Amino acid sequence: MEKDSHSGIYLLPNLFTTASLFAAFYSLVASMKGQFEASIIAIFIGMIADGLDGRIARLTHTQTAFGAQYDSLSDMVTFGVAPSLLAYNLILSHLGKVGWLVAFVYTAAVALRLARFNTQLETADKKYFQGLPCPPSAAVIASFAWLCYQHEWQNIFVALLTAILSLITSTLMVSNIRYYSFKEVDFKGKVPFLYVLVMIILFVAIAADPSLVLFVGFTIYAISGLIMTLIVLQKVRKQRRNMEK
């Protein structure tokens, strides 16, 4: 009897997805034990693994429906449950009931963002994301939590600020604001030497102060969608004015 060639799954991309899921689970355990820095680092490790699985699948032509669904389920834990539990255990718990409700809103926003993304896989513009992607959103929360942990910012004011930040990122995730996806970047092609220099400077900056650099970098990305939307709206208004004249 001939073996069905479609019965298996591709190992390499799903291995990275599993690594992302493992990092997220470790982050949850570390967060519950009060090992917050380890929890934060695990989220970023999960983010790196998540970024690699899709790239590897595209480069090796091993994209499958199974891989897409597995990746989405992993993302829910890595970028939804892990960051929200971290934020609650470290900071939002100061707000009592409001704190865990904010954490839930963030988790629900990630679920909604992923569900919408999955339903638009075939029709969405590959150049842009609709709404803030989950990884940078989680990075904003995790890096801010890292800053708070390092500087021992744990009071009601910081808790309120974290709640506001969580609600803003939640809103951006489920919004229709477009964000550049970077999927068109050709990692196999040649690039100017300046690009390599910029990457080296970026690595050095992250190594020098990872929490601050990551927070600033991902916050800029979160704001970039708003700026791009405002620019587009301004152009549309100008076109309408010109048509009315």
Side-chain angles (χ1 to χ4, degrees):
M1 186 175 178
E2 191 174 345
K3 188 177 179 180
D4 184 6
S5 61
H6 299 287
S7 60
I9 60 171
Y10 291 108
L11 178 63
L12 190 58
N14 290 302
L15 195 62
F16 279 92
T17 305
T18 304
S20 176
L21 184 59
F22 178 83
F25 188 79
Y26 178 84
S27 174
L28 291 170
V29 174
S31 176
M32 289 187 289
K33 287 184 175 181
Q35 299 170 354
F36 297 116
E37 194 159 30
S39 175
I40 293 162
I41 292 171
I43 290 173
F44 283 105
I45 291 173
M47 187 179 302
I48 293 169
D50 177 73
L52 289 173
D53 64 359
R55 297 277 180 191
I56 289 171
R58 285 189 289 273
L59 288 172
T60 56
H61 305 290
T62 53
Q63 294 170 281
T64 62
F66 173 86
Q69 295 303 318
Y70 184 33
D71 180 64
S72 183
L73 292 170
S74 174
D75 287 352
M76 182 62 221
V77 184
T78 308
F79 307 124
V81 181
S84 58
L85 186 64
L86 166 69
Y88 175 75
N89 286 335
L90 180 60
I91 310 167
L92 291 175
S93 56
H94 292 285
L95 299 177
K97 185 178 181 180
V98 174
W100 69 258
L101 286 173
V102 169
F104 169 74
V105 169
Y106 179 86
T107 306
V110 172
L112 291 170
R113 173 69 179 78
L114 289 170
R116 183 175 66 179
F117 177 78
N118 290 343
T119 57
Q120 296 176 346
L121 277 174
E122 301 299 327
T123 58
D125 184 356
K126 303 298 181 184
K127 191 176 180 180
Y128 297 99
F129 290 120
Q130 185 179 358
L132 179 65
C134 303
S137 177
V140 170
I141 300 299
S143 57
F144 183 73
W146 202 352
L147 277 171
C148 293
Y149 178 77
Q150 287 182 329
H151 297 282
E152 298 182 353
W153 298 337
Q154 294 186 32
N155 52 56
I156 191 68
F157 174 75
V158 174
L160 287 170
L161 189 61
T162 305
I164 293 169
L165 188 64
S166 299
L167 293 174
I168 289 173
T169 52
S170 299
T171 304
L172 290 174
M173 279 191 287
V174 298
S175 70
N176 291 322
I177 296 172
R178 296 202 307 172
Y179 287 86
Y180 188 62
S181 68
F182 297 102
K183 288 184 178 180
E184 292 187 345
V185 177
D186 185 11
F187 289 95
K188 295 186 292 182
K190 292 183 178 180
V191 296
F193 180 76
L194 182 62
Y195 284 25
V196 179
L197 183 61
V198 170
M199 290 300 297
I200 292 171
I201 293 171
L202 182 61
F203 285 140
V204 170
I206 293 173
D209 195 342
S211 58
L212 180 61
V213 174
L214 290 170
F215 177 69
V216 171
F218 283 106
T219 300
I220 289 172
Y221 179 76
I223 296 171
S224 68
L226 294 169
I227 295 172
M228 189 164 58
T229 301
L230 290 173
I231 292 171
V232 171
L233 288 173
Q234 192 173 13
K235 286 181 179 179
V236 171
R237 286 174 183 172
K238 281 185 178 180
Q239 289 176 354
R240 286 179 179 176
R241 287 173 186 172
N242 292 333
M243 290 175 65
E244 290 173 357
K245 288 181 180 179

